[in-house]
Amino acid sequence: MTNTPLYSVCPLTMPDTSFEEDLDLVLASGASGIGIAEGKLRPGEDEAQLARLKTSGLKVAGGIPANLAPLPLRPPVMYPGPDDPSVRIGLMRESVERLAAFKPACIVMTTGSDAGYSKDESWSIAAEGIRDAARLAADLGTRIAVEVVRGDLGFDASFIRTLSEAGQFIDLVDEPNVGLCYDVYHVWDSPDVLHFTEQLAGRTYLVQVCDWPDPPRSLADRRIPGEGVIDLPAIFGALQRGGYAGWYELEIFSDDGRWGHDFPDSLWKLRPAELLERSQEGFDRLWQKRSR
């Protein structure tokens, strides 16, 4: 276990900047890692963007594919795509192959919505799709991190809603390079959170960090660490006690009108450098307070 956490920034935190601008901003912020969002890769420029990444010296924490779920997301406000799981799985393979070149610690995926399927059908389809993606990822030297996504904010991106279910689903997939993407926003108030956090820490590949306003005004209303109600020090402590020593990646969505809610205090209205500075400071303060 380490007293100096690996800290990264997901580029979705900065929706209006380019890949190259993200590298400069994250380097200036003092973070040692960055996420790679496929949506910020320009067609035909992967080699040039990969070269720019290597020059920066930043390590890649999470990869965010454009095609990240075997089943559709409902409504498709993010990551739209076809309804047919077999087509979606083919697209997932393409995303894995593209992102793997950037050497991420893991590639994040969800199950998608189970709307229109029985539990057995949805779990089988999703497990088969993620298993297929994981085998390709293993061949390419990376891993798949399955994200729990809460379902109470009008966005159905996964039928895996709790850490307990996540453990069961990872067992069902049964591939050695499939683990958990632990997004505090989605799991902080799930049942027995600290118990399951510690229990699953050794199977966690990425921790996504932000804070929760009370109450949230939409599905895109996250806060800077320390400016909400999540007991992040307790979660950090449980992760460390369980043996987690991977990346903590800042991921903030804060609607400025593009998703239907123009919040006057949207964090996306800040200068990106200010957002990253405040977030790093908040994270560092909370890390020092973590429970042992």
Side-chain angles (χ1 to χ4, degrees):
M1 293 187 292
T2 176
N3 291 324
T4 304
L6 296 171
Y7 183 78
S8 173
V9 177
C10 174
L12 301 180
T13 299
M14 304 166 288
D16 296 320
T17 50
S18 69
F19 178 92
E20 291 78 11
E21 289 170 332
D22 289 344
L23 294 175
D24 292 339
L25 285 162
V26 173
L27 271 175
S29 77
S32 56
I34 191 169
I36 297 291
E38 188 177 1
K40 288 197 173 186
L41 300 180
R42 297 183 296 272
E45 297 185 38
D46 288 26
E47 289 189 10
Q49 291 183 293
L50 178 57
R52 180 69 172 78
L53 169 68
K54 290 179 178 178
T55 299
S56 76
L58 290 168
K59 302 298 183 182
V60 179
I64 311 296
N67 307 285
L68 84 173
L71 294 166
L73 283 60
R74 309 285 188 197
V77 293
M78 293 181 68
Y79 308 108
D83 285 349
D84 185 341
S86 64
V87 178
R88 296 183 65 89
I89 292 168
L91 293 172
M92 287 166 58
R93 291 179 61 87
E94 293 178 9
S95 288
V96 167
E97 189 166 4
R98 189 178 191 190
L99 288 173
F102 290 81
K103 305 299 182 185
C106 62
I107 295 173
V108 177
M109 291 187 169
T110 71
T111 66
S113 170
D114 61 0
Y117 295 92
S118 70
K119 180 177 179 178
D120 286 347
E121 288 172 332
S122 58
W123 279 64
S124 176
I125 291 169
E128 180 182 351
I130 289 177
R131 187 180 300 119
D132 183 77
R135 289 172 178 171
L136 175 60
D139 290 342
L140 297 172
T142 190
R143 308 178 295 181
I144 300 297
V146 179
E147 183 173 0
V148 178
V149 182
R150 64 189 310 125
D152 57 354
L153 295 175
F155 182 48
D156 184 6
S158 175
F159 55 76
I160 304 299
R161 303 283 173 78
T162 68
L163 292 172
S164 176
E165 290 175 328
Q168 295 170 36
F169 183 78
I170 292 168
D171 285 342
L172 178 63
V173 176
D174 193 25
E175 291 292 329
N177 66 326
V178 174
L180 174 67
C181 173
Y182 185 113
D183 188 329
V184 298
Y185 191 79
H186 293 302
V187 304
W188 72 276
D189 57 348
S190 64
D192 298 315
V193 60
L194 296 183
H195 166 75
F196 283 111
T197 297
E198 187 169 347
Q199 184 182 76
L200 291 168
R203 306 173 75 182
T204 297
Y205 294 165
L206 180 70
V207 176
Q208 294 177 330
V209 181
C210 66
D211 217 326
W212 175 276
D214 189 21
R217 296 165 291 183
S218 78
L219 63 89
D221 190 22
R222 303 188 182 195
R223 298 283 89 188
I224 284 171
E227 297 185 10
V229 301
I230 300 177
D231 189 351
L232 287 166
I235 289 173
F236 295 159
L239 286 162
Q240 271 208 311
R241 288 194 303 273
Y244 181 71
W247 290 97
Y248 292 83
E249 184 159 282
L250 178 73
E251 184 184 66
I252 287 178
F253 301 102
S254 184
D255 201 356
D256 55 3
R258 71 190 70 208
W259 286 3
H261 297 84
D262 188 0
F263 300 130
D265 59 349
S266 167
L267 297 172
W268 281 347
K269 293 181 179 181
L270 297 176
R271 292 182 301 105
E274 179 183 352
L275 173 56
L276 297 191
E277 180 182 5
R278 283 174 52 186
S279 297
Q280 175 91 60
E281 291 173 352
F283 176 86
D284 289 344
R285 285 195 301 270
L286 297 169
W287 180 259
Q288 296 304 318
K289 296 178 180 179
R290 70 195 183 280
S291 57
R292 301 288 181 154

